[in-house]
Amino acid sequence: MSALISEQQGRVLTLTLNRPEARNALNNSLLTGLADALEAAAGDPGVGAVVITGQPRFFAAGADLREMASRGLADTLNDPRPLIWQRLDNFPKPLIAAVNGYALGAGCELVLLCDLVIAGDNASFGLPEITLGLMPGAGGTQRLIRTVGKALASRMVLSGEAISAARAQEAGLVAEVHPAALTLEYAQRLAAKIAGHAPLALQAAKQSLRQSQESGLALGLKQERTLFTLLAATDDRREGIAAFLEKRSPNFTGR
Amino acid sequence: MENLIVCDVQQGVMTLTLNRPERLNSFNDAMHRQLAGFLTQAERDDSIRCLLITGAGRGFCAGQDLNDRNVDPAGDAPDLGYSVEAFYNPLVRRLARLPKPVIAAVNGVAAGAGATLALGCDMVIAARSASFVMAFSKLGLIPDCGGTWFLPRVAGRARAMGLALTGGKLSAEQAAEWGMIWQLVEDADLHDTSIAQARHFATQPTYGLGLIKQALLAAEHNTLDQQLDVERDYQRLAGRSADYREGVAAFLAKRTPQFRGK
C-alpha cells in the first residue's frame, strides 16, 4: 500500500496520508511524495482544489523521530526538508486539510500550511517538539502565532500541550468542526464548491491572502489591487459577471 | 488484588458493582483505578452495548472515602483538586462520551460524589429506600463528579441550589417526583428491573442510541441553530447505519428487527 493515496472526484483531488503503522509520521519520503503530488496537481487544469487528510484517529502524529535522531548538526544544516516544505508552500491552488484525531508536530505544521482547515470533533492540534528537547522547525512557531495570536501560540509551543478541535475553532485555527465520521465528506464538499469557481480568481485570491502575512497593510492593499486588476483581463471574470446578471451558472474556462 | 469493582458481562450488558460494602462503596484511589480499567474495556468492546452501575450491600456509593483524607489540622492543606482532576473528572467525561447507554441502579444511599455520579448517568433507576445526599456543603466543599453541571439540569436551578446549599438528603421518592430520575421501584424489584432495562438496551440500535446521547449532551451548550446542524449531521450518520436499514426492513416486513448495534 502506498504511503500517499491519491483520489480524484470531479475537480477535487484528495491526498490521504497512509502510514498507519507509524501514525502517519511525516518522513522525508512521504513529504516528498506529497510535494510531487501537489506539483502535478498545480499543473493539471482538471484539479481545482486539493484536500489533504489522514486516518480516522490521526492526521499525522509528527515527524519521523528515527529519521531525525540520525541527523547531527551538519546533517541538519543541510537537511533537504526545508526545501520540501517550501515546495508544499508553493502550491498555488486552494489546499484544504481535513483533520481527524491527532495533528501533532510536523502534522500540525502541515495543517497550518494549508489554506483552510476542517476538523473532526475528535481532532487535536499540538506542537510537542519542546518535550523532546527541540522546537518546531517547519513553520510551527511562525504560522501558529499569526493564526491564533501570541497567548495561545506561546502556550502551545512552550508547554507542548495540544488543544481540542473546539478550542482550535475558537482560536481561528480551524474553520469548521464536524462529527469525525463526516469530516472528510464535508471538506470534500467545500472543496468541490471552491473548485467550481474561476481558477485564476482562486489563484489570485490565495496569493493575496498569503501576501497579507508577508507585508504591511498599505503594501498588501496595493498588491491586492494589482491582482484584482489582473483579473479584469480574464475571460472568466466576464463570464462570472454575465452569468450572475443572466441568473445562470457560469461556465469557467480558466482563462 | 482486591475486587473493589465486580465486573460481570452477560448478554451485551456490563454490570459494574462498586464493591466496598463495609465502607458504603466509597471511592478510594485503587477503586478508581479498577473502575477506569473496566471503562476502557467497555469503550473498546463493541459486544458490550449497555453499562449498568450499582453498589454492593446496602449503599450505592458514599462518594470519596474520608478515611483516605487524613487531614492534619496543623499540616499543609490537601489538594482535593488532584483527585478531581485525576479520577472524578475523567470518569464523568468517559461516561458521558461512552457511545452506549449507562444506567445507574441506585440500591441505597448515594452521597457526595456517589450521588452526583448516579444523577449524571444516562438513566437512573432507584430503589424506594435509596436516597441522594449532597453532603459536600456540610464539609465546606462543592458538589464535584459533575454535580454542579448535572444538578441544575436534572433538578432545575431552584432545587439544585437548595439541594447543594443545604446538603440535605433527598429521598428517591422525592427525586422521582421532581423528575430527577427515570424510575422508582420497590427495593425487591430493583435488580430485576434494572437488568431487564439494560438487557433491552443491549438488543437495541446501539449506534443510534449513542448518537441520541451525544446529541442531547451537545444540546446543553448549543444554540438552536447549532443544534439543528448537529441533528442534520447525526441523522445523516444514523441513516447510514446497518441498524436503520434493518429497522425499516423489519417494519415493512412486519417482523421483529435484529439489531447489531452498528
Side-chain angles (χ1 to χ4, degrees), chain A residues 166-205:
Chain A
R167 182 82 187 87
Q169 186 180 26
E170 274 168 21
L173 169 58
V174 161
E176 297 172 18
V177 178
H178 297 293
L182 294 170
T183 311
L184 179 58
E185 196 175 320
Y186 284 6
Q188 286 171 328
R189 229 185 250 200
L190 179 63
K193 177 167 197 158
I194 289 172
H197 299 316
L200 289 174
L202 287 174
Q203 195 169 334

Side-chain angles (χ1 to χ4, degrees), chain A residues 17 22-27 30-31 34 52-54 58-65 68 81 85 88 96-114 116-118 123-129 136-140 143-144 156 173-174:
Chain A
L17 306 171
R23 302 213 301 163
N24 280 352
L26 297 169
N27 59 8
L30 180 52
L31 272 185
L34 196 56
I52 299 180
T53 193
F58 39 84
F59 176 78
D64 194 316
L65 290 178
M68 198 182 299
R81 280 173 85 86
W85 282 102
L88 300 176
I96 296 165
V99 182
N100 279 336
Y102 299 106
L104 302 178
C108 186
E109 290 174 307
L110 178 58
V111 168
L112 288 164
L113 179 144
C114 293
L116 192 48
V117 186
I118 307 297
S124 63
F125 301 85
L127 295 166
E129 285 88 343
R143 292 197 178 96
L144 186 66
M156 289 172 68
L173 169 58
V174 161

